[in-house]
């Protein structure tokens, strides 16, 4: 049975076992508490079962929000397909984000443009970790999101991240696209920084990372607690 495109109605998820075989999705009844507009990301994922049978359709509480984003940005609708490989890549992105954040914490970046460039990397890696864990394809993200942190945040919040922080949204706009903070400049003006300093950006990025860890369930990288204790 072919998967429906997420964003259409009904939407579909596909889950694969460790050998890559498709796994059944539990159909949710209309009165299921995990199908409301306030459905949590993890509640939807708990609807998946690990029986290696034919793929079935499950209604997604995210379909309407995703369809609106697809239309707003003229994006090809995303097909959510969860897999062991996607989960592994998601965890790797989380840990890479933590590594870049450590550079920001260390205070070795004295130039504001460098700090904002690294901030963009941290935010995009963290948001990518969420999207990959949900089942977005990395190729789709690279093509339709790229280095646009604000767009990545919008897609993440549309799929259950639940990080509706106005200051993080403002910072994401400043960081979009984040390559602009590292490009060579001749006569071009420096992009607007929204008044953000490195000290103001760090706690916003820390909160974003913490939220991604919370919703994905990924473990912190080795030595994280020791680094926190040595601040």
């Amino acid at each position: 049975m072919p998967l429906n495109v997420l964003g259409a109605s009904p939407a579909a998820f596909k889950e694969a076992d460790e050998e890559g075989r498709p796994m059944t999705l539990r159909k949710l009844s209309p009165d299921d508490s995990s199908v409301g507009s306030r459905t949590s990301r993890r509640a939807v994922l708990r609807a998946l079962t690990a029986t290696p049978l034919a793929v079935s359709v499950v209604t997604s509480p995210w379909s309407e929000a995703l369809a609106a984003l697809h239309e707003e940005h003229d994006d090809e609708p995303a097909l959510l397909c969860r897999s062991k490989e996607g989960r592994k890549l998601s965890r790797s992105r989380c840990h890479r984000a933590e590594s870049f954040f450590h550079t920001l914490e260390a205070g070795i970046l004295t130039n504001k443009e460098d700090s904002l460039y690294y901030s963009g990397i941290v935010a995009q890696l963290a948001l990518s970790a969420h999207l990959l864990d949900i089942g977005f394809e990395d190729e789709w993200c690279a093509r339709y999101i790229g280095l646009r942190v604000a767009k990545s945040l919008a897609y993440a919040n549309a799929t259950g991240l639940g990080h509706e922080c106005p200051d993080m949204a403002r910072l994401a706009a400043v960081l979009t696209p984040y390559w602009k903070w590292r490009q060579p400049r001749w006569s071009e003006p420096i992009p607007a920084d929204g008044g953000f300093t490195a000290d103001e950006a760090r706690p916003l990025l820390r909160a974003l990372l913490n939220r991604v860890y919370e919703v994905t369930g990924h473990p912190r990288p080795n030595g994280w607690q020791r680094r926190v204790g040595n601040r």
Side-chain angles (χ1 to χ4, degrees):
M1 175 180 176
L3 287 172
N4 292 333
V5 174
L6 189 65
S9 181
F13 293 86
K14 184 172 74 173
E15 182 87 357
D17 65 9
E18 293 187 1
E19 296 181 3
R21 297 174 297 182
M23 301 193 301
T24 300
L25 305 179
R26 178 174 66 83
K27 286 188 178 180
L28 301 178
S29 63
D31 60 349
D32 194 312
S33 61
S34 65
V35 192
S37 60
R38 295 176 61 83
T39 306
S40 74
R41 172 185 178 281
R42 303 311 299 178
V44 174
L45 299 188
R46 282 197 297 271
L48 303 174
T49 61
T51 308
L53 299 172
V55 176
S56 60
V57 174
V58 60
T59 302
S60 166
W62 307 324
S63 296
E64 186 175 344
L66 281 176
L69 284 173
H70 293 152
E71 183 176 358
E72 177 185 349
H73 297 289
D74 197 24
D75 292 340
E76 182 77 19
L79 182 67
L80 301 196
C81 179
R82 302 195 76 227
S83 68
K84 180 181 178 182
E85 291 73 20
R87 174 80 175 164
K88 182 178 180 181
L89 184 57
S90 167
R91 176 176 172 174
S92 174
R93 295 278 170 88
C94 253
H95 290 183
R96 286 178 61 201
E98 196 71 63
S99 176
F100 278 97
F101 184 77
H102 179 48
T103 301
L104 287 172
E105 277 188 316
I108 60 178
L109 301 175
T110 57
N111 181 288
K112 175 179 275 192
E113 292 181 54
D114 287 341
S115 294
L116 289 172
Y117 178 72
Y118 270 70
S119 295
I121 294 174
V122 171
Q124 193 69 342
L125 285 171
L127 293 165
S128 172
H130 167 84
L131 296 174
L132 291 168
D133 187 49
I134 280 294
F136 279 85
E137 295 179 345
D138 198 28
E139 293 80 5
W140 187 96
C141 292
R143 179 176 180 181
Y144 293 104
I145 295 179
L147 307 182
R148 296 183 285 273
V149 178
K151 189 175 182 181
S152 190
L153 180 62
Y155 269 103
N157 278 328
T159 51
L161 179 64
H163 195 64
E164 303 287 352
C165 171
D167 286 338
M168 184 62 228
R170 287 199 309 111
L171 179 59
V174 168
L175 301 176
T176 298
Y178 67 79
W179 57 257
K180 68 185 178 183
W181 294 106
R182 184 57 75 85
Q183 68 177 350
R185 306 195 194 287
W186 287 276
S187 58
E188 297 90 346
I190 296 175
D193 59 20
F196 283 103
T197 65
D199 288 341
E200 291 170 334
R202 278 195 300 271
L204 296 175
L205 295 169
R206 179 72 267 163
L208 175 64
L209 274 167
N210 289 345
R211 180 58 181 165
V212 171
Y213 280 119
E214 180 183 357
V215 298
T216 62
H218 290 315
R220 307 278 180 164
N222 293 333
W224 182 82
Q225 287 291 350
R226 182 169 58 254
R227 177 165 62 82
V228 171
N230 289 335
R231 287 178 187 172

